[in-house]
Amino acid sequence: MKGVDHQNVLRTHDAEFRTLVETMPQIVWVTLPDGRHIDFNQHWLDFTGLTLEESLGHGWNPPFHPEDRGLAAERWRQAINSGEPYEIEYRLRRWDGVYHWMLGRALPMRDAEGNIVKWFGTCTDIDDLKRTQDRLDEAQRIGKIGDWEYNLVTEETTWSPEVYRIFGRDIRLGPPRTFHDSAALYDAESAGLLEEMISLGIASGEAQQFDLRTKGGDGKQSHVQIVAVPRKDDHGEVAGLFGTVQDISERKHAELALYDRAQQQLLVAALGRFALSAASLDDVYAEAASTITKGLNVEFSNVLLLNGPQNPLVLKAGIGWGPGWIGRHVDDPMEQTQTHRVLASREPVIIHDFGNDSRFTLSELLSSHGVVSGVDVLVGGTEKPVGVLGAYASTPRKFSTDDVGFLQGVANILGAAAERQRANAQLSHMALHDPLTDLPNRLLLIDRLNVALSHAQRHDKQVALLFLDLDRFKHVNDVFGHALGDHVLQEVAKRLSHCVRSEDTVSRQGGDEFIVALTGIDEQKDAALIAEKVLAAITSPFVLEGTEIILGISIGIACFPGDGEDAETLLRNADAAMYVAKDLGRNGYQFYAPEMNMRGLDRLTLESDLHRAIERNELFLMYQPQLDLNTGEVVGLEALVRWQHPSRGLISPAQFIPIAESCGLITPVGDWVLESACSQHVRWVSQGLIKGTMAVNISAHQFRQADFCDRVNDVLLRTGLKPALLELEVTESVVMHGIDQVLHKLNILRELGVTLAIDDFGTGYSSLSYLKQFPLHRLKVDQSFIGGLPADLESSAIAEAIIQMGHSLGLDVLAEGIETRAQVANLQSLGCDEGQGFLYAKPLAANECGEYLLEAESNRR
């Protein structure tokens, strides 16, 4: 009976199970562990249209969508291997041929020993839900916005499909498993901000919104906006976060584009300022090339300038090109390159891909560097084009109209700079060349000589200076007149120029004096050969206007380094040697030797006496007033050192200062002068006699002392003189020796408050471009240019050029050596600011100067 009862119970249970299965809204199936289906409910049969016999075994496979069968089989194998329940989404074909999305679930059924005997599963129709989700996914894709959720307890994250697309992540990898993994999707700065904002949201319970930068799965950076909303549990505690991720790269790129345009404008403005203050146009070209690469973010840029009658384009400056290209002719005018199209049409040319553009021939410069894209614009001038500017990339690049506008802005600055240089070059040429012969004047000679001396010192070479003076030239002017004499001087200049190399310099100093600087020679006999060549050239008869003129020439030669290590010493020694050549019969040459004449011996005697002059109080100061040419008011004083020799009487500083420099005494002499002048000026200022400056001359040797600026500061502290009342005067030759060190010292002195002036301007200047860099206050025009005013037109032209030059540099201009009212009137008409000279007062002793200042102050009141 018990067996019968047990069978009845089983049949009852099976009937109840079958009733339950048939009443379920889902498809129900039963499968053996080997995958053979052994039972289905009626919903399977109704949905698929299959009979039970067709479905049993493996007949259930055909309704699966072909694309989903492999995944379903793989998930089934995973389930039977693990023995764990599983879940899967797949598409199942309905009886009418329409596929529906199904959610399949299966549970293992075990016997008493725990062995799986079969699987019980269900299929739930989720097609409507899936289609809704697809529409949501499509909306998210269009809006580039996805949703996410993060569980604080389990650290589990869920992403919508659009989030995967935004981050470039394979959806099969699933979302990051931890917060640390999520942070790794961003750059370092954004990862830190993410952690900060998430912590803030959790702590405050309030939603957060922030923008981050992603690394991007494809290696490209993108921008996203994150919204994080805290999710609270029943106790009000934050249990998780949910929110959205939106790709805002397009908006960010638009913002960055606006920023780039603004940056380009700033770069163009900076280039414009640089062009106004640059030492040379080459510097402007180089800066323009750098500006282009920064502004357009390209690998290559160039500045091509037209050069020569055939107008080949020369690569004047550029970024990205290999060694040896700068300075080369890079574009043949006969070739159909894009640069020559720019020159011909004066319009920009854009090439997105040279390989696909048959209009132009690719130049060797571009082809050898793998250039793919480029844009070129014209650098225009007032009379003719200057050249072409280009920007290039090694990958396809679509240059925009904004890019062209930026490049044209750079080109416009270069065009203006080139035109300004042309005008300045004309003025500079006038200031640096003799108007009669067009040879370099003393200013340009000193500049070139300083360069030659530096080069010779570095390369262990010699420099020879030939001081030339025509013999009997005065008779030419007296007999034939100055007009013919000028023609003779012009012919002499031509013959001298033919005697030397292109790297040498022939200069006219004035009158019938010329100087030849031979650079980089190996030995003195090279100078002798040139001297003999010059003698032969000049002694050959001059035939002008049917008149034959015979001249001779006396030549003095001084060589670096044996006869002097600076331009001033070489000039002095060559001059001395020239006078010896004249004394020995003229029309010959002599090398300098210290003992060659009595002047050398006299100098040695003075040097010995000068060693004791300071300790014997033989040096004293005199002061010459400096006046405003328009108001007549005293604006300053210049301290002038004198030497009262016990036996020779008063000795000019022009005689003993060079001695002091050469024997090393100039530093103690200069220190004494500086302190004495400052002390005296403090007394006059305290008495209310003067409000202006005290000018003190500084020698080259004194200025070059390493502690010179400290010495000046110490004197100011000891004497109590306000720094603004001290004006230090240095000659042009001083500031042109070692530009970097000089500029550093001048800036220190300017920071102390001391004013700075260039003394004897016009006698030793070497480079206007360097002069602009110096923090100067005043130019003093040398008296040699004042003496001939106003009658001497040449002196007047030079004085006017110097005054205009000084004012263009923002400097006051003071004329030295004024002796007549006519000179004052002429200088006033030229715009000169101040002056000094015998017309106002000769150099005065301290007591005389005090009386002069007292009288001037009384008259002013």
Side-chain angles (χ1 to χ4, degrees), residues 369-654:
H369 289 83
V371 166
V372 174
S373 305
V375 56
D376 294 90
V377 300
L378 183 75
V379 181
T382 55
E383 299 178 358
K384 61 181 181 179
V386 175
V388 175
L389 280 193
Y392 308 97
S394 58
T395 55
R397 164 82 176 267
K398 291 187 178 297
F399 292 95
S400 67
T401 54
D402 287 334
D403 294 336
V404 174
F406 165 73
L407 194 60
Q408 191 64 63
V410 174
N412 292 343
I413 289 175
L414 292 193
E419 182 62 25
R420 186 166 57 250
Q421 188 202 43
R422 186 190 64 80
N424 290 340
Q426 291 180 339
L427 177 62
S428 297
H429 187 85
M430 292 173 58
L432 298 176
H433 289 79
D434 172 50
L436 178 62
T437 64
D438 203 39
L439 290 176
N441 61 13
R442 185 181 181 89
L443 306 179
L444 186 53
L445 171 71
I446 297 299
D447 179 33
R448 293 183 180 179
L449 189 53
N450 283 332
V451 173
L453 293 176
S454 298
H455 184 272
Q457 188 173 31
R458 289 195 303 270
H459 297 280
D460 194 25
K461 294 284 188 178
Q462 295 190 37
V463 174
L465 201 64
L466 280 63
F467 203 112
L468 318 175
D469 187 85
L470 295 177
D471 298 329
R472 298 178 300 276
F473 181 72
K474 183 176 183 299
H475 298 294
V476 175
N477 281 332
D478 292 342
V479 174
F480 300 105
H482 287 277
L484 186 62
D486 286 346
H487 286 306
V488 171
L489 292 175
Q490 290 171 342
E491 184 63 27
V492 168
K494 293 178 182 177
R495 294 187 184 186
L496 291 177
S497 297
H498 291 153
C499 291
V500 299
R501 304 164 300 175
S502 60
E503 61 263 35
D504 300 324
T505 297
V506 178
S507 169
R508 181 182 178 224
Q509 298 301 287
D512 60 351
E513 289 185 344
F514 295 82
I515 291 178
V516 175
L518 305 176
T519 63
I521 63 175
D522 294 318
E523 49 190 345
Q524 290 189 357
K525 73 175 184 179
D526 296 330
L529 292 173
I530 297 299
E532 292 171 357
K533 193 174 180 180
V534 168
L535 285 170
I538 301 303
T539 55
S540 179
F542 293 83
V543 180
L544 298 171
E545 299 180 2
T547 302
E548 183 177 279
I549 299 173
I550 304 297
L551 293 176
I553 190 166
S554 297
I555 305 172
I557 307 173
C559 294
F560 167 88
D563 300 332
E565 296 185 354
D566 56 69
E568 184 178 352
T569 302
L570 289 172
L571 284 168
R572 185 173 62 250
N573 292 342
D575 188 17
M578 183 271 295
Y579 278 107
V580 172
K582 281 188 177 293
D583 293 341
L584 294 177
R586 304 193 178 200
N587 202 35
Y589 65 89
Q590 286 291 321
F591 282 93
Y592 171 78
E595 66 283 357
M596 65 177 15
N597 54 41
M598 289 301 294
R599 284 181 295 179
L601 178 60
D602 186 56
R603 180 185 178 285
L604 293 175
T605 304
L606 281 178
E607 180 180 326
S608 177
D609 293 343
L610 187 59
H611 277 277
R612 296 185 292 273
I614 298 177
E615 60 188 61
R616 293 178 178 178
N617 294 321
E618 294 173 3
L619 299 180
F620 66 97
L621 292 183
M622 300 190 79
Y623 304 90
Q624 187 171 35
Q626 299 170 332
L627 285 77
D628 187 306
L629 293 184
N630 295 312
T631 66
E633 182 180 352
V634 177
V635 296
L637 299 168
E638 180 179 6
L640 302 168
V641 64
R642 297 291 186 265
W643 180 12
Q644 185 66 43
H645 193 278
S647 60
R648 301 188 184 200
L650 191 63
I651 297 178
S652 167

Side-chain angles (χ1 to χ4, degrees), residues 79 113 172 199 214 265 275 290 306 372 386 401 435 461 472 643 699 801:
E113 286 77 24
R172 291 173 296 182
S199 299
T214 75
Q265 293 175 1
S290 177
L306 294 170
V372 174
V386 175
T401 54
K461 294 284 188 178
R472 298 178 300 276
W643 180 12
S699 73

